[in-house]
Amino acid sequence: FRPEKYNPEPETLFGFIDKFIEDSKNRINTHSGKKISESTLKKYNTCFNYLKEYAKEKKTVIDFKDVDLNFYNDFIKFLNQKEIIYKDKYTGEEVVKIGLAVNTIGKQIAVLKVFLNQAQEDGLNNHKGYKSRGFSIITEDSEAVYLNEDELNTLFELDLSNNKRLERIRDLFLVGCWTGCRYGDFSSINPGQITNGFLNVKQEKTGSRVVIPLHPVVKSILGKYNGELPSSPS
């Protein structure tokens, strides 16, 4: 109930990561001009937790000098063998899965490189083992699942007037499909962003601006909510 606060030394790898994540809560994304998003902070914390679990299992302390190709291979092996327990969202039963997906492992390596690169810029990390060509961000092609136009129209025409919650979720989903925007960009649409049938969006993640023609379905949905989309129930 009263765990000891985790306060590692700031000049160690884990100490640096701990401080980096804490500082990131108020850091400004240079591309968007906004604070670092919650999803990015979540990725930082996820990677840090895996590193701490790895160190605990190996009963060792990991510092900057230890992050080389040997560490890389061993860390990937650890993530490949990690036992994941989660609840099935339909049955509620616990499911045990062994190993993270290849692309998920690749994301942990990418985030680790973010930590190490920043530490090097700050003059705390003079070890370059992680810059080896073999210390790569692994990926694999994944199956892209999508709905075709007929399926999207069937969803649009479905009468959900007796369940306003599902109706709002359906409408938000369709706006995402017909604009191609990330959720954070399309969910905050307002009338000031619409000019002559086009949606003007400054992307939250990249900071770049895009101009998107409004599909008739999007026009209809925006008309239903007076030009501003409803907030998601969850």
Side-chain angles (χ1 to χ4, degrees), residues 86-169:
Y86 62 94
K87 281 192 175 182
D88 185 285
K89 62 181 178 181
Y90 298 111
T91 66
E93 296 178 355
E94 283 195 347
V95 179
V96 178
K97 177 186 173 185
I98 303 299
L100 303 181
V102 171
N103 289 333
T104 303
I105 293 174
K107 288 177 183 177
Q108 308 317 311
I109 301 300
V111 173
L112 176 57
K113 285 193 169 191
V114 169
F115 297 151
L116 296 169
N117 283 329
Q118 187 59 55
Q120 192 167 81
E121 284 188 28
D122 293 350
L124 294 174
N125 178 23
N126 297 318
H127 303 277
K128 299 184 179 181
Y130 75 97
K131 289 186 176 290
S132 165
R133 185 177 297 178
F135 206 108
S136 58
I137 299 170
I138 59 176
T139 60
E140 70 174 355
D141 291 336
S142 57
E143 184 180 359
V145 181
Y146 66 94
L147 301 180
N148 61 36
E149 188 169 353
D150 288 339
E151 290 167 331
L152 290 173
N153 286 334
T154 298
L155 193 56
F156 176 63
E157 292 166 2
L158 181 64
D159 183 9
L160 292 172
S161 57
N162 63 337
N163 190 325
K164 293 300 181 182
R165 177 179 176 276
L166 290 184
E167 186 176 28
R168 293 199 304 274
I169 293 172

Side-chain angles (χ1 to χ4, degrees), residues 2-212:
R2 293 187 179 88
E4 293 181 10
K5 184 170 175 55
Y6 180 69
N7 279 320
E9 294 298 319
E11 60 272 5
T12 64
L13 173 60
F14 279 17
F16 172 79
I17 294 175
D18 194 56
K19 186 175 185 302
F20 177 89
I21 294 174
E22 186 62 32
D23 292 346
S24 293
K25 295 175 182 177
N26 296 309
R27 187 179 296 122
I28 300 298
N29 184 320
T30 55
H31 294 296
S32 66
K34 298 180 180 179
K35 284 187 176 182
I36 299 295
S37 67
E38 287 296 325
S39 61
T40 298
L41 290 172
K42 185 177 179 179
K43 285 191 290 187
Y44 291 165
N45 278 300
T46 298
C47 179
F48 192 21
N49 286 334
Y50 284 140
L51 287 168
K52 287 187 285 188
E53 287 177 28
Y54 171 84
K56 183 178 180 180
E57 181 173 300
K58 299 296 179 179
K59 298 179 181 179
T60 187
V61 175
I62 308 167
D63 213 339
F64 294 111
K65 63 180 175 56
D66 303 309
V67 184
D68 54 16
L69 273 180
N70 289 329
F71 165 83
Y72 171 84
N73 292 323
D74 208 36
F75 186 49
I76 287 180
K77 182 180 178 182
F78 164 77
L79 295 176
N80 269 320
Q81 297 175 344
K82 181 173 174 55
E83 186 179 87
I84 315 256
I85 302 175
Y86 62 94
K87 281 192 175 182
D88 185 285
K89 62 181 178 181
Y90 298 111
T91 66
E93 296 178 355
E94 283 195 347
V95 179
V96 178
K97 177 186 173 185
I98 303 299
L100 303 181
V102 171
N103 289 333
T104 303
I105 293 174
K107 288 177 183 177
Q108 308 317 311
I109 301 300
V111 173
L112 176 57
K113 285 193 169 191
V114 169
F115 297 151
L116 296 169
N117 283 329
Q118 187 59 55
Q120 192 167 81
E121 284 188 28
D122 293 350
L124 294 174
N125 178 23
N126 297 318
H127 303 277
K128 299 184 179 181
Y130 75 97
K131 289 186 176 290
S132 165
R133 185 177 297 178
F135 206 108
S136 58
I137 299 170
I138 59 176
T139 60
E140 70 174 355
D141 291 336
S142 57
E143 184 180 359
V145 181
Y146 66 94
L147 301 180
N148 61 36
E149 188 169 353
D150 288 339
E151 290 167 331
L152 290 173
N153 286 334
T154 298
L155 193 56
F156 176 63
E157 292 166 2
L158 181 64
D159 183 9
L160 292 172
S161 57
N162 63 337
N163 190 325
K164 293 300 181 182
R165 177 179 176 276
L166 290 184
E167 186 176 28
R168 293 199 304 274
I169 293 172
R170 184 270 313 276
D171 290 345
L172 285 167
F173 174 75
L174 288 174
V175 171
C177 289
W178 288 118
T179 60
C181 288
R182 299 177 181 87
Y183 176 79
D185 293 329
F186 76 73
S187 60
S188 57
I189 291 175
N190 63 72
Q193 294 175 274
I194 300 170
T195 308
N196 299 323
F198 287 88
L199 173 65
N200 296 270
V201 177
K202 182 179 180 182
Q203 295 178 303
E204 184 177 331
K205 184 174 182 178
T206 65
S208 60
R209 292 187 177 276
V210 292
V211 181
I212 304 165

